[in-house]
Amino acid sequence: MPLDQFPAIQECIDAFRRLPGIGPKGAQRIVFHLLTQDPEGASQIAASCESLHERVEVCRKCHILIEGEAGGENCAVCGGKDPSVICVVQEPADVFVIERAGKFRGRFHVLMGVISPLDGINPEDLTIGDLMDRIKEEGVNEVILALNPNMAGEGTSLYLAQILKPLGVRVTQLAQGLPMG
């Protein structure tokens, strides 16, 4: 029996396919599992997703995700950390990865993407202006670039290094690759 006879099921499959890493078969498995094995889970997922944008917002200063804080002016990650070092990352999820390691004591800045002219993403589409303002206002001595080691990430790192050089801050990058020996 073709799925096009069940528009509600097909609509739900199409919705799950929008998620990264979920293809048509995976989306179909999820939908049928929720429909037949876990209807309570389906309701919980729907309610959680519905309230997500109401409960979580982006900090106006560092652009990380915050929950339950007033307007994002002084989020928990912006305050209480070494203001002389800023680690620049591509996406909010990258902050959680670095924080989980528990070694970095500085502050973060999320670019909300990388420069990618082929995708129509230019420097002014990112939070680079906010980063420049923070460096000037917060007395930053070092900027650590922790962008993805792909072509767009490397290009963005080079661009940032060029525009940060006149500000007199030290620009470093995370090490990549496997150590030898």
Side-chain angles (χ1 to χ4, degrees), residues 45-83:
I45 290 169
S48 295
C49 289
E50 181 127 8
S51 69
L52 192 61
H53 284 283
E54 295 168 8
R55 297 170 53 197
V56 179
E57 58 186 298
V58 176
C59 175
R60 291 183 215 140
K61 189 175 192 177
C62 64
H63 301 278
I64 69 162
L65 300 176
I66 55 174
E67 185 172 353
E69 298 186 38
E73 284 302 320
N74 292 308
C75 75
V77 178
C78 286
K81 298 236 178 179
D82 181 2

Side-chain angles (χ1 to χ4, degrees), residues 1 95 114 149:
M1 186 177 312
V95 172
V114 288

Side-chain angles (χ1 to χ4, degrees), residues 65-116:
L65 300 176
I66 55 174
E67 185 172 353
E69 298 186 38
E73 284 302 320
N74 292 308
C75 75
V77 178
C78 286
K81 298 236 178 179
D82 181 2
S84 68
V85 181
I86 291 181
C87 180
V88 178
V89 296
Q90 184 172 325
E91 302 293 336
D94 299 332
V95 172
F96 295 101
V97 172
I98 295 171
E99 280 286 290
R100 195 175 328 131
K103 300 292 182 194
F104 181 64
R105 301 286 178 234
R107 295 182 177 180
F108 289 95
H109 187 85
V110 181
L111 292 178
M112 302 305 270
V114 288
I115 299 169
S116 179

Side-chain angles (χ1 to χ4, degrees), residues 2-161:
L3 280 176
D4 59 357
Q5 293 178 5
F6 298 92
I9 293 174
Q10 188 60 53
E11 182 181 313
C12 195
I13 290 170
D14 293 341
F16 276 108
R17 284 186 61 193
R18 294 180 67 173
L19 298 173
I22 298 181
K25 288 182 181 179
Q28 187 174 337
R29 277 194 295 273
I30 292 169
V31 170
F32 282 115
H33 173 78
L34 292 173
L35 193 58
T36 61
Q37 305 295 316
D38 193 9
E40 196 175 291
S43 297
Q44 184 180 6
I45 290 169
S48 295
C49 289
E50 181 127 8
S51 69
L52 192 61
H53 284 283
E54 295 168 8
R55 297 170 53 197
V56 179
E57 58 186 298
V58 176
C59 175
R60 291 183 215 140
K61 189 175 192 177
C62 64
H63 301 278
I64 69 162
L65 300 176
I66 55 174
E67 185 172 353
E69 298 186 38
E73 284 302 320
N74 292 308
C75 75
V77 178
C78 286
K81 298 236 178 179
D82 181 2
S84 68
V85 181
I86 291 181
C87 180
V88 178
V89 296
Q90 184 172 325
E91 302 293 336
D94 299 332
V95 172
F96 295 101
V97 172
I98 295 171
E99 280 286 290
R100 195 175 328 131
K103 300 292 182 194
F104 181 64
R105 301 286 178 234
R107 295 182 177 180
F108 289 95
H109 187 85
V110 181
L111 292 178
M112 302 305 270
V114 288
I115 299 169
S116 179
L118 294 176
D119 295 321
I121 302 172
N122 299 308
E124 56 273 4
D125 298 323
L126 306 176
T127 63
I128 294 172
D130 293 341
L131 173 63
M132 302 293 281
D133 293 342
R134 288 183 69 194
I135 291 169
K136 293 172 187 171
E137 293 168 9
E138 297 177 17
V140 174
N141 298 328
E142 181 180 8
V143 174
I144 301 170
L145 302 175
L147 303 178
N148 292 339
N150 55 26
M151 223 147 104
E154 291 295 324
T156 303
S157 292
L158 286 171
Y159 176 81
L160 288 172

